[in-house]
Coordinates of all heavy atoms in Angstrom, one line a residue:
L1 N -18.2 -5.1 4.7 CA -18.3 -4.4 6.0 C -18.5 -2.9 5.7 O -19.4 -2.2 6.4 CB -17.0 -4.5 6.8 CG -16.8 -6.0 7.3 CD1 -15.4 -6.1 8.0 CD2 -17.9 -6.4 8.3
A2 N -17.8 -2.3 4.8 CA -18.0 -0.9 4.5 C -19.4 -0.6 3.9 O -19.9 0.5 4.0 CB -16.9 -0.4 3.5
G3 N -19.9 -1.6 3.2 CA -21.2 -1.5 2.6 C -22.4 -1.3 3.6 O -23.5 -0.9 3.3
I4 N -22.1 -1.6 4.9 CA -23.1 -1.4 5.9 C -23.5 0.1 6.0 O -24.6 0.5 6.2 CB -22.6 -1.9 7.3 CG1 -22.4 -3.4 7.2 CG2 -23.6 -1.6 8.4 CD1 -21.8 -4.0 8.5
T5 N -22.5 1.0 5.9 CA -22.7 2.4 6.0 C -22.4 3.2 4.7 O -22.5 4.4 4.7 CB -21.8 3.0 7.1 OG1 -20.5 2.7 6.8 CG2 -22.2 2.3 8.5
N6 N -22.1 2.5 3.6 CA -21.9 3.2 2.4 C -22.6 2.5 1.2 O -22.9 1.3 1.3 CB -20.4 3.1 2.0 CG -19.6 4.0 3.0 OD1 -19.5 5.2 2.8 ND2 -18.9 3.4 4.0
D7 N -22.9 3.3 0.2 CA -23.7 2.8 -0.9 C -22.8 2.1 -2.0 O -21.6 2.3 -2.0 CB -24.4 3.9 -1.6 CG -25.1 4.8 -0.6 OD1 -26.2 4.4 -0.2 OD2 -24.6 5.8 -0.2
S8 N -23.4 1.4 -2.9 CA -22.8 1.0 -4.1 C -22.6 2.3 -5.0 O -23.5 3.1 -5.0 CB -23.6 0.0 -4.9 OG -23.0 -0.4 -6.1
S9 N -21.5 2.4 -5.7 CA -21.2 3.5 -6.5 C -20.3 3.1 -7.7 O -19.5 2.3 -7.5 CB -20.5 4.6 -5.7 OG -20.0 5.7 -6.5
M10 N -20.5 3.8 -8.8 CA -19.6 3.6 -9.9 C -18.2 3.9 -9.6 O -17.3 3.4 -10.3 CB -20.0 4.5 -11.1 CG -21.1 4.0 -12.0 SD -20.8 2.3 -12.7 CE -19.2 2.5 -13.4
A11 N -17.9 4.6 -8.6 CA -16.5 5.0 -8.2 C -15.8 3.8 -7.7 O -14.6 3.7 -7.8 CB -16.5 6.1 -7.2
V12 N -16.5 2.9 -6.9 CA -15.8 1.8 -6.3 C -16.3 0.4 -6.5 O -15.6 -0.6 -6.4 CB -15.7 2.0 -4.7 CG1 -14.8 3.2 -4.4 CG2 -17.1 2.2 -4.2
S13 N -17.6 0.3 -6.8 CA -18.2 -1.0 -7.0 C -17.6 -1.9 -8.1 O -17.5 -3.1 -7.9 CB -19.7 -0.9 -7.2 OG -20.3 -0.4 -6.0
P14 N -17.3 -1.3 -9.3 CA -16.6 -2.1 -10.3 C -15.3 -2.8 -9.8 O -15.0 -3.9 -10.2 CB -16.3 -1.1 -11.4 CG -17.4 -0.1 -11.2 CD -17.6 0.1 -9.8
V15 N -14.6 -2.1 -8.9 CA -13.4 -2.7 -8.3 C -13.8 -3.9 -7.4 O -13.1 -4.9 -7.5 CB -12.6 -1.6 -7.5 CG1 -11.4 -2.3 -6.8 CG2 -12.2 -0.5 -8.4
F16 N -14.8 -3.7 -6.6 CA -15.3 -4.8 -5.7 C -15.7 -6.0 -6.5 O -15.2 -7.2 -6.3 CB -16.5 -4.4 -4.9 CG -17.3 -5.5 -4.3 CD1 -16.7 -6.3 -3.2 CD2 -18.5 -5.8 -4.8 CE1 -17.4 -7.3 -2.7 CE2 -19.2 -6.9 -4.2 CZ -18.7 -7.6 -3.2
W17 N -16.5 -5.8 -7.6 CA -17.0 -7.0 -8.3 C -15.8 -7.6 -9.1 O -15.8 -8.9 -9.3 CB -18.1 -6.6 -9.3 CG -19.4 -6.3 -8.6 CD1 -19.8 -5.1 -8.1 CD2 -20.4 -7.3 -8.2 NE1 -21.0 -5.2 -7.4 CE2 -21.4 -6.6 -7.5 CE3 -20.5 -8.6 -8.3 CZ2 -22.5 -7.2 -7.0 CZ3 -21.6 -9.3 -7.8 CH2 -22.6 -8.6 -7.2
S18 N -14.9 -6.9 -9.5 CA -13.7 -7.4 -10.2 C -12.9 -8.3 -9.2 O -12.4 -9.4 -9.6 CB -12.8 -6.3 -10.8 OG -13.5 -5.6 -11.8
L19 N -12.6 -7.8 -8.0 CA -11.9 -8.5 -7.0 C -12.7 -9.8 -6.6 O -12.1 -10.9 -6.4 CB -11.7 -7.7 -5.8 CG -10.6 -6.5 -6.0 CD1 -10.6 -5.6 -4.7 CD2 -9.3 -7.1 -6.3
L20 N -14.0 -9.7 -6.6 CA -14.8 -10.9 -6.3 C -14.6 -11.9 -7.4 O -14.5 -13.1 -7.1 CB -16.3 -10.4 -6.2 CG -17.3 -11.4 -5.7 CD1 -16.9 -12.0 -4.3 CD2 -18.7 -10.8 -5.6
G21 N -14.6 -11.5 -8.7 CA -14.4 -12.4 -9.8 C -13.1 -13.0 -9.8 O -12.9 -14.2 -10.0
I22 N -12.0 -12.2 -9.5 CA -10.7 -12.7 -9.4 C -10.6 -13.7 -8.2 O -10.0 -14.8 -8.4 CB -9.7 -11.5 -9.1 CG1 -9.6 -10.6 -10.3 CG2 -8.3 -12.1 -8.7 CD1 -8.9 -9.3 -10.1
G23 N -11.3 -13.4 -7.1 CA -11.3 -14.4 -6.0 C -11.9 -15.7 -6.4 O -11.3 -16.8 -6.0
I24 N -13.0 -15.7 -7.1 CA -13.6 -16.9 -7.5 C -12.8 -17.7 -8.6 O -12.7 -18.9 -8.5 CB -15.0 -16.6 -8.1 CG1 -16.0 -16.2 -7.0 CG2 -15.6 -17.8 -8.9 CD1 -17.3 -15.7 -7.4
A25 N -12.1 -16.9 -9.5 CA -11.3 -17.6 -10.4 C -10.1 -18.2 -9.7 O -9.7 -19.4 -10.1 CB -10.7 -16.5 -11.4
C26 N -9.5 -17.6 -8.7 CA -8.4 -18.2 -8.0 C -8.9 -19.4 -7.2 O -8.2 -20.4 -7.1 CB -7.8 -17.1 -7.0 SG -6.9 -15.8 -7.9
N27 N -10.1 -19.3 -6.6 CA -10.6 -20.4 -5.9 C -10.8 -21.6 -6.8 O -10.4 -22.8 -6.4 CB -12.0 -20.1 -5.2 CG -11.9 -19.3 -4.0 OD1 -10.8 -18.7 -3.7 ND2 -12.9 -19.1 -3.2
A28 N -11.3 -21.4 -8.0 CA -11.5 -22.5 -8.9 C -10.2 -23.1 -9.3 O -10.1 -24.3 -9.4 CB -12.3 -22.0 -10.1
Y29 N -9.2 -22.3 -9.6 CA -7.9 -22.8 -10.0 C -7.3 -23.6 -8.8 O -6.8 -24.7 -9.0 CB -7.0 -21.6 -10.3 CG -5.6 -22.1 -10.7 CD1 -5.3 -22.4 -12.0 CD2 -4.6 -22.2 -9.7 CE1 -4.0 -22.8 -12.3 CE2 -3.3 -22.6 -10.0 CZ -3.0 -22.9 -11.3 OH -1.7 -23.4 -11.6
N30 N -7.3 -23.0 -7.6 CA -6.7 -23.7 -6.5 C -7.4 -25.0 -6.1 O -6.8 -26.0 -5.8 CB -6.7 -22.8 -5.3 CG -5.8 -21.6 -5.4 OD1 -4.7 -21.7 -6.0 ND2 -6.2 -20.4 -5.0
A31 N -8.8 -25.0 -6.3 CA -9.5 -26.2 -6.0 C -9.2 -27.3 -7.1 O -9.2 -28.5 -6.7 CB -11.0 -25.9 -6.1
S32 N -8.8 -26.9 -8.3 CA -8.5 -27.9 -9.3 C -7.1 -28.5 -9.1 O -6.8 -29.6 -9.6 CB -8.4 -27.2 -10.7 OG -7.3 -26.3 -10.8
Q33 N -6.3 -27.9 -8.2 CA -5.0 -28.4 -7.9 C -5.0 -29.3 -6.7 O -4.0 -30.0 -6.4 CB -4.0 -27.3 -7.7 CG -4.0 -26.2 -8.7 CD -3.7 -26.8 -10.1 OE1 -2.6 -27.4 -10.3 NE2 -4.5 -26.5 -11.1
I34 N -6.1 -29.4 -6.0 CA -6.2 -30.2 -4.8 C -7.2 -31.3 -5.0 O -8.4 -31.0 -5.1 CB -6.6 -29.3 -3.6 CG1 -5.7 -28.1 -3.5 CG2 -6.6 -30.1 -2.3 CD1 -6.1 -27.1 -2.4
P35 N -6.9 -32.5 -5.0 CA -7.8 -33.6 -5.2 C -8.9 -33.6 -4.1 O -8.6 -33.4 -2.9 CB -6.9 -34.9 -5.1 CG -5.5 -34.4 -5.4 CD -5.5 -33.0 -4.9
N36 N -10.1 -33.9 -4.5 CA -11.2 -34.0 -3.6 C -11.5 -32.7 -2.8 O -12.0 -32.7 -1.7 CB -11.1 -35.1 -2.6 CG -10.9 -36.4 -3.3 OD1 -11.7 -36.7 -4.2 ND2 -10.0 -37.3 -2.8
S37 N -11.0 -31.5 -3.3 CA -11.2 -30.3 -2.6 C -12.6 -29.8 -2.7 O -13.4 -30.3 -3.6 CB -10.3 -29.2 -3.3 OG -10.7 -29.0 -4.6

């Protein structure tokens, strides 16, 4: 949402992509714990 009016920047974008990676890792882990997820 903030990206609508703000740019990608070395100041904050690495944090975003890290959180995105953590989110995907957590999703994959949680999906592995739920049959047929």
Side-chain angles (χ1 to χ4, degrees):
L1 293 172
I4 296 172
T5 60
N6 289 280
D7 313 277
S8 176
S9 169
M10 274 308 306
V12 291
S13 291
V15 175
F16 163 71
W17 287 95
S18 297
L19 290 173
L20 191 54
I22 292 169
I24 289 173
C26 290
N27 281 15
Y29 178 90
N30 291 323
S32 74
Q33 308 304 304
I34 306 172
N36 301 319
S37 63

